Amino acid sequence: MTVQTPAIVIHSLRYGESDLIVSLLTKTSGLRSYLLKGVLKSKRGKIRASLFQPLTLLEIEANHRNKGTLERIKEAKILVPYKSLHTDFVKSSLVFFLSEILKNTIQEEEVNEELFHYLETTFLWLDAHQNISNFHISFLIKLMQFLGFYPDVSNISLTVFNMQDGCFQNDSSNIYCMDGQTVSYFKEFLGTTFEESMDIKLSRMARNEILSMLLVYFELHLHGFKKPRSLSILNEIFS
């Protein structure tokens, strides 16, 4: 079946000397993996390897056999060109971090247009703004809504955050309960827009502690989730 759809590049992997295997989140067919034969050596083909940088927004025409095997892309072009996402050092470091996060969290082929719209909108927002020091924290918190484990905020006034159950409570009940200033900062992000969250003042230590807590929370609620290898670089950049 031939499909034409917007798509977001999640991950790409070199295969052999000249091929790429790319993972794309498509708007109409969910997460799909494609084999791009000879793309690393071809200079005049319709499909260029440069199109498949992480988080690139594409329009693709592809053959989907829907047999659980690698699909084939017939044509691909940039849907919306980024101005700074792949050229600004700080943003490009964020791109690799977010790409690793999405590789570990989006694993089903089910169509999720709301998630696609969220990612498309936020990447364009990141591309257009300069005040982005809290972007990765806000991104992860909002992503939870689409993954099904956004915290229950009905008792947000309580002081302890139970990461295992995803709720706020009075007292610690297991080893995954957090309290103190980290939880207070975490609460500030809940329910805010990206613009508002960028104005939350955090020290390097506070930002790293919130991020560390969020990654543990992801590990608790997503089977097989692994902390991104780019985490240490990100912590240094936003210090």
Side-chain angles (χ1 to χ4, degrees):
M1 178 177 65
T2 299
V3 299
Q4 189 166 349
T5 178
I8 299 171
V9 180
I10 301 299
H11 177 70
S12 62
L13 175 68
R14 186 177 185 130
Y15 183 70
E17 292 185 1
S18 59
D19 303 341
L20 273 182
I21 295 175
V22 297
S23 178
L24 307 183
L25 180 67
T26 71
K27 186 175 183 178
T28 62
S29 303
L31 185 69
R32 296 286 177 137
S33 293
Y34 301 88
L35 176 62
L36 307 179
K37 294 186 69 66
V39 70
L40 295 176
K41 290 188 175 180
S42 174
K43 296 182 179 179
R44 296 186 178 182
K46 292 182 179 180
I47 301 175
R48 304 185 309 277
S50 59
L51 293 172
F52 298 92
Q53 296 183 72
L55 310 190
T56 300
L57 301 174
L58 298 175
E59 179 80 30
I60 66 167
E61 183 178 337
N63 288 324
H64 286 177
R65 293 176 291 178
N66 300 315
K67 294 182 178 180
T69 57
L70 294 173
E71 311 286 14
R72 299 297 176 95
I73 295 178
K74 296 172 65 177
E75 292 188 27
K77 62 181 181 180
I78 298 291
L79 181 63
V80 183
Y82 292 131
K83 296 179 180 179
S84 62
L85 210 60
H86 291 131
T87 55
D88 179 279
F89 174 72
V90 174
K91 290 184 181 181
S92 62
S93 300
L94 262 176
V95 163
F96 284 107
F97 174 79
L98 299 177
S99 176
E100 281 193 84
I101 289 290
L102 295 175
K103 179 189 173 187
N104 286 331
T105 56
I106 305 175
Q107 300 171 350
E108 302 296 331
E109 289 190 359
E110 296 178 4
V111 177
N112 189 334
E113 289 195 18
E114 290 185 352
L115 173 60
F116 185 93
H117 178 70
Y118 167 69
L119 297 178
E120 180 183 38
T121 302
T122 52
F123 298 154
L124 290 172
W125 188 97
L126 177 60
D127 184 55
H129 289 77
Q130 296 304 313
N131 181 17
I132 58 171
S133 57
N134 293 333
F135 179 89
H136 50 307
I137 294 174
S138 189
F139 177 87
L140 290 177
I141 292 173
K142 294 181 187 304
L143 182 62
M144 296 174 190
Q145 294 177 301
F146 302 93
L147 300 177
F149 51 90
Y150 191 80
D152 178 357
V153 296
S154 57
N155 292 312
I156 196 171
S157 61
L158 302 182
T159 58
V160 175
F161 179 54
N162 182 337
M163 290 191 288
Q164 190 171 62
D165 296 333
C167 64
F168 294 92
Q169 55 194 47
N170 278 318
D171 304 300
S172 295
S173 56
N174 59 59
I175 60 172
Y176 297 111
C177 286
M178 296 279 295
D179 58 10
Q181 191 62 57
T182 300
V183 173
S184 297
Y185 284 133
F186 173 54
K187 289 180 181 181
E188 289 190 51
F189 283 89
L190 298 176
T192 62
T193 65
F194 272 99
E195 288 84 356
E196 293 167 342
S197 68
M198 296 309 123
D199 293 329
I200 297 174
K201 303 300 182 183
L202 297 174
S203 66
R204 171 189 176 183
M205 181 178 295
R207 187 176 288 111
N208 290 352
E209 287 177 352
I210 294 173
L211 182 57
S212 178
M213 184 187 79
L214 290 175
L215 293 176
V216 171
Y217 189 54
F218 270 65
E219 286 183 287
L220 287 172
H221 293 274
L222 285 174
H223 178 71
F225 180 83
K226 298 178 182 178
K227 290 181 180 179
R229 290 175 295 177
S230 54
L231 177 62
S232 59
I233 298 174
L234 199 70
N235 285 338
E236 285 298 320
I237 289 174
F238 290 108
S239 64

